[in-house]
Amino acid sequence: MHVQVSQAAGAGGRAYAVRRSPIHGRGVFATRTIARGEDIVEYRGRRISMEVADTMPDSDPDNPYHTFLFELNDGRVIDAGVRGNAARWINHSCAPNCVPYEDDRGRVMIAARRTIRAGEELAYDYRLNVEGRRTKKLLAAYRCRCGAPRCRGSRLGPAEPAGGRRRPR
């Protein structure tokens, strides 16, 4: 169940603000209580094929493991580095308070998994996909900084099952 609520709802406008994060760089924080199931923000940016995304330079040349790409169910990706919005600054957590989902029109929405209090940082489980073997070096590059009691230590999703590619949820 997802409750559609205008971003202008509540005093002061949007339900979120971007500011410095203790998890990583910038983060997105609730400016008011957000109800469980409420759509908070759409993940926006240009839509490109995976083939084009694979040929692009890194989002951050100083950190090639930082990305603004979000994979869609049809195999394309949203590149929030171009025409993106505040949703690109939502950080990963192994104990997320948000969940992304793709609606019937192919839009990616970030919704509240539970009630979120004003001041809490918004986060969802990235479940990133990478090809190849998961070496210690690769796992270190995708190290998680969420600080959750049951942190799995990585922003990567479960390893791909043999013979198939796993998509983020």
Side-chain angles (χ1 to χ4, degrees), residues 148-159:
R150 297 180 79 174
C151 177
R152 68 175 179 266
S154 176
R155 293 175 285 144
L156 298 175

Side-chain angles (χ1 to χ4, degrees), residues 80-93:
V82 177
R83 296 188 306 274
N85 61 352
R88 69 183 167 183
W89 301 115
I90 298 175
N91 281 312
H92 163 84
S93 176

